[in-house]
Amino acid sequence: MSRRLFGSVRSRATLAATLVVAVALVAAGAAVLLSLRSNLVGQAGTEAEHTARAVATDIALQRPDEPLSVDTDEPVQVLDENGGLLAASEELERISGTGTQAVRPQPRTSPGPAERGEDSDDDTDDDAAGESLEPGEIIEHTSFTNGTATLDGETDDYRFAKVHVEVEGRGQLTVYAGAPLSAEQSAVRTALTVLLIGFPLLLGVVAGVTWLVTRRALRPVEGIRTEMAAITASEDLARRVPVPDTHDEVARLALTTNETLAALQTSVERQRRFVADASHELRSPIASLRTQLEVGTAHPELLDLDGAVQDTVRLQDLASDLLLLARLDAGERPGDTRFDLGALAREQTEGRAGVTVDAEAVAVAGSPAQVGRVLTNLLDNAGRHARSAVTVTVQRQGEWAVVAVADDGDGVAEADRERIFERFVRLDEARSRDDGGAGLGLAIARDVAVRHGGTLTVGRAPAGGALFELRLPQAR
């Protein structure tokens, strides 16, 4: 179920964005609450310290023979050096977290263990209490504790400040004064409530906005997918996917998809033409060979063995060409054998009448058999169209090894200089069965040249005929 729920990019993007915002909000909310609590507790401590020092100042000014009194609405205790309670707020009914839990002065020498309950924030307070002070002097050090106090029947949490004061005739007294923490607790509770209510709402807004934005951003992708599915179902490669007018990654994806479809359409159409042309080329010699065999069967004396052999050889050559083209289309690697292109050219021209060779040694890398097939096709083509002579040269030109095959025939019209490299293309003068081939030789030659990192072009020879130039990169 979870795979299906989060199986789309939109769901995963929404979940990721929501989780990131949730973590950020929790961290920010915790920091805000801690900062708020710290500030409010500090403010309460400041108020408690102010009250404690004010009370300490008042009792320092009182005469030694007068009883100590505390005139304040906050919970205050005044203890002697032995921890005995000397004075407390009039409305104080119960207290905890200070030096003693007593709320009314009682004669004693030292506090009992059950009454101490002190929870100081500063471990150096005992040392501070032992400092030598002048009469009326209040110690600068203040320590703080947390506790509770009951005033006029209401119990609240308080922040207590503890200061020492030297009183003439009474010794060093300790004053505890408290400030309520109700404001801090109320503010923290309010902030926490706001966060608990606001966070889910904000996360919902983030999730909704992310869902809508992602949906809108991915809508062109869904359009591309839908159109691609329709193209696959209809097998109509002429169709194209919609290109959004956004100039972003999705638009570039659509453009690349259309380019791929165009290339695929061209390849499929080329393959269909190839199959149709191959079938047509095969049909003629097969039909001719079958006719001759049928005639020979009925009338042995009329059997044309030479014609049958020629048709068989033509079928064999055509099958070999088709097989080589199929391997080239399948991406067969040419290999990396190092060989001498000049020696290969001399080998291919050996025994050919009317062919002049001027070849220097040039090393190239690739398939000697395929490059030899290119030279053979070029020589065969030149031999069919030459009047009397064919010239072959091999030389270096920069980083290239160049083979030039020139004849003194009629040449190739400029309009046909690219068309003759297409498969099954034969010019009008070479369409007869005896003079022309299947129209695959030059197509094979160019494909092999391109797969070896080179080029094959045709121009005009100095003698007026065709000049084919094969350029291959020299071997390093």
Side-chain angles (χ1 to χ4, degrees):
M1 182 63 182
S2 60
R3 279 187 183 179
R4 188 179 306 171
L5 182 61
F6 299 107
S8 65
V9 175
R10 182 169 52 186
S11 301
R12 292 195 296 269
T14 302
L15 177 62
T18 305
L19 288 178
V20 169
V21 174
V23 171
L25 289 178
V26 169
V32 169
L33 289 177
L34 292 176
S35 177
L36 178 63
R37 183 180 182 277
S38 176
N39 290 336
L40 292 177
V41 169
Q43 183 178 354
T46 301
E47 294 178 0
E49 180 181 9
H50 178 74
T51 302
R53 291 187 177 276
V55 172
T57 301
D58 290 342
I59 63 177
L61 297 176
Q62 292 181 10
R63 289 167 33 178
D65 56 348
E66 293 181 355
L68 292 178
S69 63
V70 177
D71 185 15
T72 179
D73 296 334
E74 305 298 337
V76 174
Q77 287 180 317
V78 180
L79 308 181
D80 59 17
E81 293 179 349
N82 297 321
L85 181 64
L86 298 179
S89 303
E90 294 183 1
E91 297 181 354
L92 182 63
E93 300 176 3
R94 188 177 301 168
I95 193 170
S96 66
T98 60
T100 177
Q101 295 180 0
V103 295
R104 293 292 176 266
Q106 297 178 2
R108 61 191 314 149
T109 57
S110 63
E115 297 176 349
R116 291 295 292 177
E118 186 174 348
D119 184 17
S120 175
D121 290 347
D122 194 338
D123 295 336
T124 63
D125 184 61
D126 292 338
D127 296 336
E131 292 184 9
S132 177
L133 300 176
E134 296 295 332
E137 182 181 359
I138 302 174
I139 195 170
E140 294 183 0
H141 176 78
T142 304
S143 59
F144 299 92
T145 60
N146 291 332
T148 60
T150 303
L151 294 174
D152 197 17
E154 296 184 1
T155 302
D156 290 314
D157 294 327
Y158 283 84
R159 180 73 167 169
F160 292 102
K162 175 183 177 182
V163 297
H164 298 283
V165 58
E166 183 72 23
V167 179
E168 184 179 0
R170 302 181 188 273
Q172 190 175 106
L173 304 183
T174 302
V175 178
Y176 285 93
L181 294 175
S182 57
E184 174 264 337
Q185 294 173 347
S186 176
V188 171
R189 281 195 300 267
T190 302
L192 181 60
T193 302
V194 171
L195 293 179
L196 291 178
I197 296 176
F199 279 10
L201 295 178
L202 184 57
L203 290 178
V205 172
V206 170
V209 171
T210 305
W211 179 272
L212 294 176
V213 171
T214 309
R215 178 182 179 182
R216 182 173 181 178
L218 293 178
R219 186 176 299 165
V221 178
E222 179 63 19
I224 295 173
R225 187 203 66 79
T226 303
E227 186 64 22
M228 285 296 294
I231 292 173
T232 303
S234 64
E235 299 183 357
D236 182 8
L237 296 178
R239 299 172 60 175
R240 296 293 180 263
V241 301
V243 179
D245 189 19
T246 54
H247 306 287
D248 57 3
E249 292 82 356
V250 177
R252 292 194 291 271
L253 171 64
L255 290 174
T256 303
T257 302
N258 285 336
E259 292 174 358
T260 303
L261 288 173
L264 182 60
Q265 181 185 9
T266 301
S267 177
V268 170
E269 290 178 352
R270 181 182 180 186
Q271 192 70 20
R272 288 173 179 171
R273 289 196 305 268
F274 177 77
V275 172
D277 292 339
S279 301
H280 177 74
E281 292 294 332
L282 288 171
R283 185 183 298 113
S284 296
I286 290 176
S288 176
L289 182 61
R290 178 180 177 179
T291 300
Q292 295 179 56
L293 293 177
E294 289 177 349
V295 171
T297 301
H299 305 281
E301 69 280 3
L302 299 178
L303 179 61
D304 184 8
L305 291 178
D306 293 337
V309 171
Q310 291 178 2
D311 287 338
T312 303
V313 171
R314 186 182 179 194
L315 281 173
Q316 184 178 5
D317 292 341
L318 182 56
S320 178
D321 289 343
L322 293 176
L323 181 60
L324 178 56
L325 284 174
R327 292 202 306 267
L328 293 175
D329 290 341
E332 182 182 79
R333 296 178 61 86
D336 55 358
T337 303
R338 184 186 178 97
F339 60 93
D340 184 358
L341 185 59
L344 183 62
R346 288 190 293 271
E347 178 183 342
Q348 295 297 323
T349 57
E350 186 177 353
R352 292 178 179 266
V355 179
T356 303
V357 182
D358 180 13
E360 61 176 294
V362 185
V364 297
S367 171
Q370 292 185 7
V371 176
R373 182 65 176 275
V374 173
L375 296 178
T376 299
N377 291 350
L378 293 178
L379 289 170
D380 290 343
N381 180 77
R384 283 195 300 269
H385 296 87
R387 291 189 177 92
S388 60
V390 175
T391 303
V392 179
T393 60
V394 180
Q395 59 183 351
R396 293 185 179 89
Q397 291 184 5
E399 298 182 351
W400 298 95
V402 181
V403 180
V405 179
D407 62 69
D408 58 354
D410 295 331
V412 180
E414 188 173 354
D416 297 327
R417 288 178 182 176
E418 282 299 318
R419 194 169 67 89
I420 61 174
F421 292 108
E422 297 178 5
R423 298 177 183 182
F424 298 104
V425 171
R426 290 173 294 181
L427 300 183
D428 293 338
E429 66 178 32
R431 286 190 177 274
S432 69
R433 171 184 168 186
D434 296 330
D435 294 336
L440 294 177
L442 295 180
I444 291 175
R446 170 164 280 190
D447 283 352
V448 171
V450 171
R451 294 186 185 278
H452 279 74
T455 60
L456 177 61
T457 58
V458 61
R460 186 174 183 82
L467 173 62
F468 287 87
E469 284 191 347
L470 171 65
R471 292 177 176 267
L472 297 176
Q474 295 187 44
R476 297 183 180 275

